[in-house]
Amino acid sequence: MPIVVRIDVELARRKMSVGEFAEKVGLTPANVAVLKNGRAKAVRFSTLDAMCKVLGCQPGDLLEWVPAEDTAEETAETR
């Protein structure tokens, strides 16, 4: 998947546990795990807003787009 979720990096920087983070954001620890492991299909802006408030960061600190190999190959073929 070309979107990489970096919640774990931000939690480690702040020495914050998943449980503490989940409580402050208003999510269950299971839902935080789904986000952290990249299994989420979508994220509500309100949830992203809450995560950024709790961590004091920008959305780009939590989400990163990384081109997939097959996407890079398709792009090269169309040029």
Side-chain angles (χ1 to χ4, degrees):
M1 173 175 234
I3 302 294
V4 177
V5 181
R6 304 226 180 262
I7 294 172
D8 53 346
V9 173
E10 296 301 319
L11 289 176
R13 285 183 181 164
R14 288 155 182 81
K15 296 181 170 77
M16 186 181 293
S17 71
V18 170
E20 180 184 359
F21 177 70
E23 185 177 325
K24 288 182 177 184
V25 173
L27 296 173
T28 65
N31 282 340
V32 173
V34 168
L35 288 168
K36 275 182 48 177
N37 297 324
R39 294 184 312 230
K41 299 289 184 195
V43 179
R44 292 177 189 260
F45 281 150
S46 59
T47 301
L48 186 58
D49 176 57
M51 292 189 301
C52 289
K53 282 180 185 173
V54 167
L55 295 172
C57 67
Q58 294 294 314
D61 297 327
L62 300 176
L63 304 171
E64 178 184 3
W65 178 77
V66 178
E69 288 182 30
D70 58 344
T71 304
E73 290 172 9
E74 289 174 15
T75 304
E77 290 174 5
T78 59
R79 289 185 184 167

